[in-house]
Amino acid sequence: MHKLALFRLHLIVFLWGFTAILGKLIQANAQILVFYRMLFAAIFLYIYIRIFKKESIKVSKKIFFQLAAIGFSMAFHWYCFFHSIKVSNVSIALSCLSLSTLFAAIMEPVIFKRRIDISEVVMGVVIVACILLIFKTEFRFKEGIMYGVLCAVFGTIFSVFNGKMFGKTSSGNIIFYEIFSGWFILAVIYLFSGQIFHMDEISYRDIALIVVLASVFTAFPMLESVNLMKYISPFTLILTVNLEPVYGIILAFFIFGESEHMSPVFYGASGVMILAIIVNGFIKAKKQKTLN
């Protein structure tokens, strides 16, 4: 069962890595892409929870508004991620995601009221140094890097606060209301800005790709990651999820060719960031074993 769980884990991380590929293949801009991704994902989750699982989606008003706030962060995390891809490339967007580790090292102790882990901060400083090196050598992608950093900020906010919600209602309800609320907030913003009237500027090809993105690469892996927590440790989950940029960058290199070819400095800095995250994971695991 453990080996099967690990296979399923690597499968969903691979699927997450492939979302960046789909983001580049979809020609619609980031606003339209995220709007329809969240809409279709919410529909698929509702069908799964209510029709297939036959479970209730009732939650208290307090929990609903908490999930809506987290959904807001999720929506802008995805928007910044896909916009970074649109204005630069997949490799830049994925490498910037590594900054989430630094932001989490600062934010988690505050939210969960625990001591700051010095090793996490040191690792975060190493990652920032690598990002600055990438920014210097790949300055032509400065807009993509800036949106990539914002993506890491919103992603960290989403992940940290999401951790406080599990156990308050079913996992399916948490994911459904976060995605639905994120879509609803975007719809309201687009309505007042007038962008809602441009949501039909999308091809049938893009609609088809977004349906695949929302179902196979969003709803399924999010639900599966929750189910896998029954069989694997949080450490294994977090450590394996860090492979998402690796899968994505390698796939982009072979699929898109020249547009994804970066300087040797970029690959060196990205390698150091990923290695730092993995080493930190093992340090934390060793500390946890010592405490137990």
Side-chain angles (χ1 to χ4, degrees), residues 41-42 45-51 53-60 63-68 70-71 74 158 162 165-182 219 222-223 226-227:
L45 286 167
Y46 180 84
I47 292 171
Y48 174 77
I49 295 168
R50 294 292 293 139
I51 297 177
K53 298 284 287 185
K54 300 186 184 302
E55 295 177 352
S56 171
I57 59 169
K58 284 189 67 176
V59 295
S60 68
I63 290 177
F64 171 78
F65 284 114
Q66 288 174 335
L67 292 174
I70 297 171
M74 178 193 286
F158 159 70
N162 204 40
M165 295 306 299
F166 280 99
K168 294 185 177 181
T169 183
S170 70
S171 301
N173 282 355
I174 290 173
I175 296 168
F176 167 72
Y177 279 112
E178 286 173 348
I179 291 180
F180 173 77
S181 299
M222 291 186 80
L223 286 170
V226 173
N227 293 330

Side-chain angles (χ1 to χ4, degrees), residues 98-99 101-102 122-132 273 276-277:
S98 300
L99 277 171
T101 307
L102 172 62
V122 171
M123 181 193 60
V125 171
V126 170
I127 291 173
V128 169
C130 291
I131 289 292
L132 290 174
M273 287 191 292
I277 292 170

Side-chain angles (χ1 to χ4, degrees), residues 1 11 35 40 42 51 57 78 94 115 125 148 168 177 194 200 210 212 216 220 223 257 264 274:
M1 181 61 74
L11 174 62
F35 179 84
F40 290 138
I51 297 177
I57 59 169
W78 282 346
L94 287 172
R115 293 177 61 184
V125 171
K168 294 185 177 181
Y177 279 112
D200 61 344
I210 292 175
V212 174
V216 179
F220 167 71
L223 286 170
I274 293 167

Side-chain angles (χ1 to χ4, degrees), residues 116-143:
I116 292 177
D117 190 323
I118 299 301
S119 66
E120 289 181 349
V121 176
V122 171
M123 181 193 60
V125 171
V126 170
I127 291 173
V128 169
C130 291
I131 289 292
L132 290 174
L133 188 59
I134 289 173
F135 186 83
K136 183 178 180 180
T137 56
E138 304 291 347
F139 190 72
R140 67 189 188 279
F141 295 129
K142 60 182 182 299
E143 185 179 355

Side-chain angles (χ1 to χ4, degrees), residues 8 11-12 15 45 214-225:
R8 288 160 58 193
L11 174 62
I12 63 172
L15 293 178
L45 286 167
S215 55
V216 179
F217 297 91
T218 304
F220 167 71
M222 291 186 80
L223 286 170
E224 182 73 345
S225 65

